[in-house]
Amino acid sequence: LQNINRYILEQIETGYLVLDENYHVVLSNPAACHLLGIEPMYAHERFSLYQSQNDLFELIRFENLENGERFQFESQQSRYNIHVQVQKLIVPHQTLTLLVLQDARKLNQQVQQLKLAALGQLSASIAHEIRNPLAAIVQANDLYLDSEPEQQQVLHQMISRQATRIDRIIQDTLNMVKNKETHPVVIQLNEFIPLFIQEDLADVADQIQFNIDVPLAIQFDEAQLRQILINLIRNAIRHNSPDSPHIQLNIHPYEHKVWIDVRDFGSGVATHDQELLFKPFFSTSIHGTGLGLYLSHSFCEANQAQLNYISQEQGACFRISCQRVTA
């Protein structure tokens, strides 16, 4: 197993450098030496970071490196711009620091490729969604001049509806671009939710049953949490059973997390549609653009939270799972 581990470390392109509390390198692999401009022979022996890579030593010796911290590093000794990730390793009698080193240029290329792929998928989805109402507008326009006045009124309404749908698709797409930066703050849910319902959902407040057992706090971007809850709650009210006077907004702790459940008592989501719920432009309603749940899901991920559909015997439940903040 030691030989296998050594072979893997020698072959991979990611550099690994383990430092003790005196900034001596206790483990390194060839990729780390290559990125830092260190002689490969150092990879097989313990050595001083000060003597081998003084630029990195000077950068970190006065810094209190935190677990999970990331930074960029450049040195005259190396031709690479290096992306460094810090991990603390707790071992008996000491704490070691693992530096994970990667070529920042290659990382940026990978990020750009992912962005281009996502942009291509989104562009194709937008084009597909706009093509349908646009075709209806073209067809109605072709029939308009040769139609009777009553038929012209029907065609006029059709063109208006489809133009409104295109505008809504464009507006929802623009909303996805907004709020790119996330600014999490501590939110006391027992205080925030009643005020939020009063400010943002006053017209449907009597249809919301809010339940919270104990005071709970999460860390979340407030504007994005408002947008998520508005979308989930209005969706729930729209799909609620006529026999049910309200939907439920239930908040309760679970282990180290907080669950925010938005539940209605309608017909729920068909099994074959559940895996498509958070895909862009998927909607079971002819009036929806299919971007609300996709955007909510993206906002949750940006705040280190999760949005999931929870099957119920009756109705639908969407759950936001967040890390709990304690005093």
Side-chain angles (χ1 to χ4, degrees), residues 202-229:
D203 59 316
V204 293
D206 60 337
Q207 300 179 56
I208 303 170
Q209 184 183 73
F210 171 49
N211 303 302
I212 185 169
D213 298 328
V214 294
L216 294 169
I218 61 173
Q219 194 164 17
F220 216 101
D221 184 293
E222 183 177 324
Q224 293 177 356
L225 181 60
R226 284 177 181 268
Q227 191 165 347
I228 294 168
L229 289 175

mmCIF file of all heavy atoms in Angstrom, residues 202-229:
data_model
loop_
_atom_site.group_PDB
_atom_site.id
_atom_site.type_symbol
_atom_site.label_atom_id
_atom_site.label_comp_id
_atom_site.label_asym_id
_atom_site.label_seq_id
_atom_site.Cartn_x
_atom_site.Cartn_y
_atom_site.Cartn_z
ATOM 1 N N ALA A 202 -47.713 39.989 1.859
ATOM 2 C CA ALA A 202 -48.885 40.492 2.592
ATOM 3 C C ALA A 202 -50.191 40.057 1.940
ATOM 4 O O ALA A 202 -51.189 39.797 2.627
ATOM 5 C CB ALA A 202 -48.826 42.020 2.679
ATOM 6 N N ASP A 203 -50.203 39.935 0.616
ATOM 7 C CA ASP A 203 -51.448 39.594 -0.093
ATOM 8 C C ASP A 203 -51.874 38.152 0.119
ATOM 9 O O ASP A 203 -53.026 37.798 -0.118
ATOM 10 C CB ASP A 203 -51.286 39.875 -1.589
ATOM 11 C CG ASP A 203 -50.141 39.090 -2.206
ATOM 12 O OD1 ASP A 203 -49.056 39.026 -1.581
ATOM 13 O OD2 ASP A 203 -50.303 38.550 -3.313
ATOM 14 N N VAL A 204 -50.938 37.280 0.553
ATOM 15 C CA VAL A 204 -51.275 35.862 0.771
ATOM 16 C C VAL A 204 -50.947 35.414 2.193
ATOM 17 O O VAL A 204 -50.885 34.214 2.479
ATOM 18 C CB VAL A 204 -50.532 34.956 -0.250
ATOM 19 C CG1 VAL A 204 -51.046 35.201 -1.660
ATOM 20 C CG2 VAL A 204 -49.023 35.173 -0.181
ATOM 21 N N ALA A 205 -50.717 36.384 3.089
ATOM 22 C CA ALA A 205 -50.279 36.054 4.454
ATOM 23 C C ALA A 205 -51.272 35.142 5.173
ATOM 24 O O ALA A 205 -50.876 34.268 5.958
ATOM 25 C CB ALA A 205 -50.057 37.337 5.257
ATOM 26 N N ASP A 206 -52.586 35.331 4.899
ATOM 27 C CA ASP A 206 -53.595 34.517 5.573
ATOM 28 C C ASP A 206 -53.615 33.078 5.081
ATOM 29 O O ASP A 206 -54.299 32.221 5.658
ATOM 30 C CB ASP A 206 -54.979 35.140 5.396
ATOM 31 C CG ASP A 206 -55.374 35.262 3.930
ATOM 32 O OD1 ASP A 206 -54.465 35.292 3.070
ATOM 33 O OD2 ASP A 206 -56.589 35.323 3.644
ATOM 34 N N GLN A 207 -52.862 32.775 4.014
ATOM 35 C CA GLN A 207 -52.802 31.409 3.476
ATOM 36 C C GLN A 207 -51.528 30.677 3.908
ATOM 37 O O GLN A 207 -51.261 29.581 3.430
ATOM 38 C CB GLN A 207 -52.870 31.443 1.942
ATOM 39 C CG GLN A 207 -54.130 32.085 1.391
ATOM 40 C CD GLN A 207 -54.129 32.108 -0.127
ATOM 41 O OE1 GLN A 207 -53.999 31.069 -0.787
ATOM 42 N NE2 GLN A 207 -54.281 33.294 -0.701
ATOM 43 N N ILE A 208 -50.743 31.294 4.793
ATOM 44 C CA ILE A 208 -49.464 30.709 5.228
ATOM 45 C C ILE A 208 -49.547 30.381 6.709
ATOM 46 O O ILE A 208 -49.811 31.264 7.540
ATOM 47 C CB ILE A 208 -48.299 31.688 4.982
ATOM 48 C CG1 ILE A 208 -48.227 32.098 3.518
ATOM 49 C CG2 ILE A 208 -46.977 31.066 5.424
ATOM 50 C CD1 ILE A 208 -47.257 33.234 3.244
ATOM 51 N N GLN A 209 -49.326 29.128 7.046
ATOM 52 C CA GLN A 209 -49.251 28.707 8.439
ATOM 53 C C GLN A 209 -47.775 28.534 8.802
ATOM 54 O O GLN A 209 -47.103 27.617 8.310
ATOM 55 C CB GLN A 209 -50.000 27.389 8.662
ATOM 56 C CG GLN A 209 -50.038 26.945 10.120
ATOM 57 C CD GLN A 209 -50.732 25.604 10.287
ATOM 58 O OE1 GLN A 209 -50.175 24.564 9.934
ATOM 59 N NE2 GLN A 209 -51.950 25.620 10.799
ATOM 60 N N PHE A 210 -47.259 29.409 9.648
ATOM 61 C CA PHE A 210 -45.843 29.432 10.002
ATOM 62 C C PHE A 210 -45.635 28.716 11.331
ATOM 63 O O PHE A 210 -46.271 29.056 12.335
ATOM 64 C CB PHE A 210 -45.349 30.877 10.075
ATOM 65 C CG PHE A 210 -43.954 31.017 10.633
ATOM 66 C CD1 PHE A 210 -42.908 30.238 10.164
ATOM 67 C CD2 PHE A 210 -43.681 31.941 11.633
ATOM 68 C CE1 PHE A 210 -41.629 30.366 10.664
ATOM 69 C CE2 PHE A 210 -42.403 32.083 12.139
ATOM 70 C CZ PHE A 210 -41.383 31.288 11.661
ATOM 71 N N ASN A 211 -44.721 27.718 11.336
ATOM 72 C CA ASN A 211 -44.442 26.949 12.550
ATOM 73 C C ASN A 211 -42.941 26.906 12.800
ATOM 74 O O ASN A 211 -42.171 26.503 11.922
ATOM 75 C CB ASN A 211 -44.964 25.506 12.409
ATOM 76 C CG ASN A 211 -46.450 25.463 12.089
ATOM 77 O OD1 ASN A 211 -47.266 25.989 12.832
ATOM 78 N ND2 ASN A 211 -46.795 24.845 10.968
ATOM 79 N N ILE A 212 -42.518 27.314 13.993
ATOM 80 C CA ILE A 212 -41.124 27.199 14.408
ATOM 81 C C ILE A 212 -41.126 26.891 15.901
ATOM 82 O O ILE A 212 -41.795 27.571 16.693
ATOM 83 C CB ILE A 212 -40.323 28.476 14.081
ATOM 84 C CG1 ILE A 212 -38.842 28.295 14.419
ATOM 85 C CG2 ILE A 212 -40.905 29.694 14.758
ATOM 86 C CD1 ILE A 212 -37.944 29.410 13.894
ATOM 87 N N ASP A 213 -40.407 25.837 16.305
ATOM 88 C CA ASP A 213 -40.468 25.366 17.686
ATOM 89 C C ASP A 213 -39.564 26.175 18.609
ATOM 90 O O ASP A 213 -39.962 26.546 19.716
ATOM 91 C CB ASP A 213 -40.078 23.882 17.751
ATOM 92 C CG ASP A 213 -41.031 23.015 16.954
ATOM 93 O OD1 ASP A 213 -42.220 23.372 16.878
ATOM 94 O OD2 ASP A 213 -40.594 21.987 16.404
ATOM 95 N N VAL A 214 -38.343 26.416 18.175
ATOM 96 C CA VAL A 214 -37.354 27.103 19.011
ATOM 97 C C VAL A 214 -36.655 28.163 18.167
ATOM 98 O O VAL A 214 -36.640 28.065 16.933
ATOM 99 C CB VAL A 214 -36.313 26.114 19.570
ATOM 100 C CG1 VAL A 214 -36.965 25.139 20.533
ATOM 101 C CG2 VAL A 214 -35.605 25.372 18.448
ATOM 102 N N PRO A 215 -36.071 29.190 18.777
ATOM 103 C CA PRO A 215 -35.313 30.180 18.006
ATOM 104 C C PRO A 215 -34.147 29.517 17.265
ATOM 105 O O PRO A 215 -33.368 28.765 17.855
ATOM 106 C CB PRO A 215 -34.799 31.153 19.077
ATOM 107 C CG PRO A 215 -35.760 30.999 20.218
ATOM 108 C CD PRO A 215 -36.162 29.549 20.201
ATOM 109 N N LEU A 216 -34.042 29.774 15.975
ATOM 110 C CA LEU A 216 -33.008 29.165 15.146
ATOM 111 C C LEU A 216 -32.377 30.240 14.272
ATOM 112 O O LEU A 216 -33.042 31.182 13.838
ATOM 113 C CB LEU A 216 -33.604 28.064 14.256
ATOM 114 C CG LEU A 216 -34.150 26.836 14.972
ATOM 115 C CD1 LEU A 216 -34.942 25.971 14.003
ATOM 116 C CD2 LEU A 216 -33.012 26.022 15.597
ATOM 117 N N ALA A 217 -31.079 30.068 14.008
ATOM 118 C CA ALA A 217 -30.353 31.037 13.184
ATOM 119 C C ALA A 217 -29.561 30.307 12.111
ATOM 120 O O ALA A 217 -29.062 29.195 12.321
ATOM 121 C CB ALA A 217 -29.404 31.876 14.052
ATOM 122 N N ILE A 218 -29.476 30.932 10.940
ATOM 123 C CA ILE A 218 -28.677 30.408 9.834
ATOM 124 C C ILE A 218 -27.844 31.555 9.264
ATOM 125 O O ILE A 218 -28.090 32.726 9.563
ATOM 126 C CB ILE A 218 -29.547 29.803 8.714
ATOM 127 C CG1 ILE A 218 -30.483 30.872 8.113
ATOM 128 C CG2 ILE A 218 -30.343 28.620 9.233
ATOM 129 C CD1 ILE A 218 -31.239 30.399 6.890
ATOM 130 N N GLN A 219 -26.871 31.195 8.439
ATOM 131 C CA GLN A 219 -26.081 32.199 7.727
ATOM 132 C C GLN A 219 -26.438 32.116 6.251
ATOM 133 O O GLN A 219 -26.233 31.092 5.611
ATOM 134 C CB GLN A 219 -24.572 31.965 7.940
ATOM 135 C CG GLN A 219 -23.728 33.150 7.523
ATOM 136 C CD GLN A 219 -22.326 33.070 8.086
ATOM 137 O OE1 GLN A 219 -21.880 32.018 8.521
ATOM 138 N NE2 GLN A 219 -21.608 34.176 8.078
ATOM 139 N N PHE A 220 -26.986 33.219 5.722
ATOM 140 C CA PHE A 220 -27.529 33.194 4.365
ATOM 141 C C PHE A 220 -27.569 34.627 3.838
ATOM 142 O O PHE A 220 -27.678 35.579 4.595
ATOM 143 C CB PHE A 220 -28.959 32.619 4.390
ATOM 144 C CG PHE A 220 -29.330 31.769 3.216
ATOM 145 C CD1 PHE A 220 -29.319 30.390 3.309
ATOM 146 C CD2 PHE A 220 -29.689 32.343 2.005
ATOM 147 C CE1 PHE A 220 -29.674 29.583 2.235
ATOM 148 C CE2 PHE A 220 -30.050 31.555 0.920
ATOM 149 C CZ PHE A 220 -30.040 30.166 1.029
ATOM 150 N N ASP A 221 -27.465 34.762 2.530
ATOM 151 C CA ASP A 221 -27.666 36.062 1.903
ATOM 152 C C ASP A 221 -29.153 36.403 2.014
ATOM 153 O O ASP A 221 -30.007 35.683 1.499
ATOM 154 C CB ASP A 221 -27.235 36.012 0.436
ATOM 155 C CG ASP A 221 -27.338 37.363 -0.249
ATOM 156 O OD1 ASP A 221 -28.470 37.850 -0.420
ATOM 157 O OD2 ASP A 221 -26.293 37.925 -0.622
ATOM 158 N N GLU A 222 -29.466 37.514 2.690
ATOM 159 C CA GLU A 222 -30.868 37.815 2.994
ATOM 160 C C GLU A 222 -31.712 38.022 1.743
ATOM 161 O O GLU A 222 -32.831 37.511 1.647
ATOM 162 C CB GLU A 222 -30.958 39.060 3.884
ATOM 163 C CG GLU A 222 -32.385 39.375 4.296
ATOM 164 C CD GLU A 222 -32.477 40.560 5.237
ATOM 165 O OE1 GLU A 222 -31.570 40.723 6.079
ATOM 166 O OE2 GLU A 222 -33.455 41.322 5.113
ATOM 167 N N ALA A 223 -31.187 38.760 0.773
ATOM 168 C CA ALA A 223 -31.948 39.020 -0.450
ATOM 169 C C ALA A 223 -32.227 37.726 -1.205
ATOM 170 O O ALA A 223 -33.326 37.526 -1.739
ATOM 171 C CB ALA A 223 -31.204 40.005 -1.340
ATOM 172 N N GLN A 224 -31.240 36.825 -1.236
ATOM 173 C CA GLN A 224 -31.428 35.569 -1.947
ATOM 174 C C GLN A 224 -32.386 34.653 -1.197
ATOM 175 O O GLN A 224 -33.197 33.949 -1.817
ATOM 176 C CB GLN A 224 -30.070 34.897 -2.159
ATOM 177 C CG GLN A 224 -29.179 35.680 -3.113
ATOM 178 C CD GLN A 224 -27.803 35.073 -3.282
ATOM 179 O OE1 GLN A 224 -27.463 34.091 -2.627
ATOM 180 N NE2 GLN A 224 -26.992 35.664 -4.161
ATOM 181 N N LEU A 225 -32.344 34.662 0.143
ATOM 182 C CA LEU A 225 -33.289 33.852 0.920
ATOM 183 C C LEU A 225 -34.719 34.347 0.687
ATOM 184 O O LEU A 225 -35.642 33.538 0.544
ATOM 185 C CB LEU A 225 -32.947 33.912 2.410
ATOM 186 C CG LEU A 225 -33.858 33.091 3.331
ATOM 187 C CD1 LEU A 225 -33.822 31.614 2.960
ATOM 188 C CD2 LEU A 225 -33.462 33.291 4.800
ATOM 189 N N ARG A 226 -34.898 35.658 0.630
ATOM 190 C CA ARG A 226 -36.223 36.208 0.345
ATOM 191 C C ARG A 226 -36.722 35.730 -1.020
ATOM 192 O O ARG A 226 -37.876 35.310 -1.165
ATOM 193 C CB ARG A 226 -36.181 37.738 0.369
ATOM 194 C CG ARG A 226 -36.131 38.355 1.753
ATOM 195 C CD ARG A 226 -36.019 39.865 1.682
ATOM 196 N NE ARG A 226 -35.953 40.443 3.012
ATOM 197 C CZ ARG A 226 -37.004 40.860 3.715
ATOM 198 N NH1 ARG A 226 -38.213 40.773 3.181
ATOM 199 N NH2 ARG A 226 -36.866 41.360 4.922
ATOM 200 N N GLN A 227 -35.853 35.777 -2.017
ATOM 201 C CA GLN A 227 -36.268 35.383 -3.365
ATOM 202 C C GLN A 227 -36.630 33.901 -3.418
ATOM 203 O O GLN A 227 -37.603 33.505 -4.074
ATOM 204 C CB GLN A 227 -35.153 35.701 -4.371
ATOM 205 C CG GLN A 227 -35.595 35.583 -5.815
ATOM 206 C CD GLN A 227 -34.609 36.237 -6.766
ATOM 207 O OE1 GLN A 227 -33.724 36.973 -6.357
ATOM 208 N NE2 GLN A 227 -34.754 35.954 -8.060
ATOM 209 N N ILE A 228 -35.850 33.072 -2.717
ATOM 210 C CA ILE A 228 -36.134 31.630 -2.678
ATOM 211 C C ILE A 228 -37.493 31.375 -2.031
ATOM 212 O O ILE A 228 -38.326 30.629 -2.556
ATOM 213 C CB ILE A 228 -35.021 30.886 -1.906
ATOM 214 C CG1 ILE A 228 -33.691 30.961 -2.666
ATOM 215 C CG2 ILE A 228 -35.418 29.428 -1.666
ATOM 216 C CD1 ILE A 228 -32.499 30.513 -1.839
ATOM 217 N N LEU A 229 -37.712 31.982 -0.865
ATOM 218 C CA LEU A 229 -38.955 31.735 -0.130
ATOM 219 C C LEU A 229 -40.174 32.279 -0.873
ATOM 220 O O LEU A 229 -41.243 31.645 -0.875
ATOM 221 C CB LEU A 229 -38.859 32.354 1.270
ATOM 222 C CG LEU A 229 -37.899 31.656 2.237
ATOM 223 C CD1 LEU A 229 -37.788 32.425 3.543
ATOM 224 C CD2 LEU A 229 -38.342 30.224 2.508
#
